[in-house]
Amino acid sequence: MSAILEVKTAVEGFRLWPGALDAQAQTDLVDAVFARLEAGPFYRPQTPGGRPFSVQMSNFGPLGWVSDPVGYRYQPTHPETGRAWPDIPPVLLDLWDATVGEPRRPDACLVNLYREGAKMGLHQDKDEADLGAPVLSVSLGDAAMFRIGAAQGGRTTTLRLDSGDVCALTGPARLARHGIDRVLEGSSRLIPGGGRLNLTLRVAGISPR
Ligand SMILES: O=C(O)CCC(=O)C(=O)O
């Protein structure tokens, strides 16, 4: 993979590589995602309170993040098909190595599909066994307004994530509150059926350093 350029952000530990994936790499990654969907189809999880998410989800890897009235957790199987999640596309593991410099390899990749009107409220990623490892996020398709603020509360910062951008929650930003306020519908034609795909790589299980 060629060198990818990181830019400085206003939030300590929030790392951003704009345009890390070029147009061909984005197309190839979308193909890799959709090729895996037969084995791990999108579904619409429920919050622990019983409300459906507006985002559709699937996962790749040995573990997948799920939410239902029992709560949030990682599990090795798809909640609707009962099948193991498909493997993580190898190009995402290369991207992990090229960006976050973290020796532990991700064992979970949450796949979020934002169709018309979908968004994601401010939250923290804290269901992983070891909160020391970063979370790496890849944006594909329509641009989105991403909001981030410190774990302990206070003001938030909003920035636009475009297709091919890669960002990470590391160090002091690992538990940052973050979410998607709005997707700029029709700003890209990359995703079959329209919308935005987001892939987040996590070290979810107990993996020794
Ligand atoms: O879609 C995004 O960029 C954010 C996704 C996210 O916050 C998450 O999956 O926890």
Side-chain angles (χ1 to χ4, degrees):
M1 179 174 299
S2 57
I4 51 180
L5 195 66
E6 180 174 358
V7 298
K8 194 160 174 47
T9 73
V11 182
E12 195 189 348
F14 175 67
R15 303 176 62 188
L16 178 62
W17 296 268
L21 300 180
D22 65 20
Q24 188 60 55
Q26 293 172 41
T27 303
D28 291 347
L29 184 51
V30 170
D31 288 348
V33 169
F34 277 79
R36 285 164 172 76
L37 289 177
E38 199 183 326
F42 282 117
Y43 73 105
R44 197 181 293 273
Q46 285 184 10
T47 66
R51 294 213 334 262
F53 279 68
S54 60
V55 176
Q56 298 174 57
M57 295 184 181
S58 186
N59 286 274
F60 301 144
L63 290 172
W65 186 87
V66 299
S67 170
D68 61 20
V70 174
Y72 302 137
R73 64 191 174 280
Y74 283 92
Q75 65 180 42
T77 52
H78 191 293
E80 292 189 350
T81 68
R83 292 175 62 180
W85 303 106
D87 66 312
I88 298 177
V91 67
L92 289 176
L93 300 176
D94 294 342
L95 191 61
W96 175 271
D97 292 340
T99 51
V100 287
E102 166 61 50
R104 284 165 294 182
R105 276 314 212 30
D107 53 6
C109 176
L110 174 62
V111 187
N112 294 311
L113 175 65
Y114 297 78
R115 297 284 197 204
E116 199 177 339
K119 53 191 178 179
M120 190 177 287
L122 271 190
H123 65 281
Q124 295 171 289
D125 292 350
K126 55 180 184 185
D127 301 312
E128 299 72 37
D130 179 348
L131 298 174
V135 172
L136 185 73
S137 164
V138 181
S139 293
L140 293 167
D142 283 348
M145 301 314 291
F146 176 81
R147 194 145 61 95
I148 180 166
Q152 57 274 18
R155 62 181 278 277
T156 57
T157 302
T158 300
L159 64 136
R160 174 178 162 142
L161 292 177
D162 283 299
S163 191
D165 289 353
V166 172
C167 60
L169 301 174
T170 73
R174 174 61 182 79
L175 287 177
R177 294 167 300 133
H178 61 283
I180 294 293
D181 285 343
R182 191 161 65 91
V183 172
L184 307 181
E185 277 154 29
S187 52
S188 159
R189 296 188 5 205
L190 182 67
I191 307 299
R196 172 175 187 263
L197 263 184
N198 170 258
L199 308 163
T200 56
L201 292 163
R202 296 112 182 265
V203 180
I206 301 164
S207 37
R209 274 174 191 272

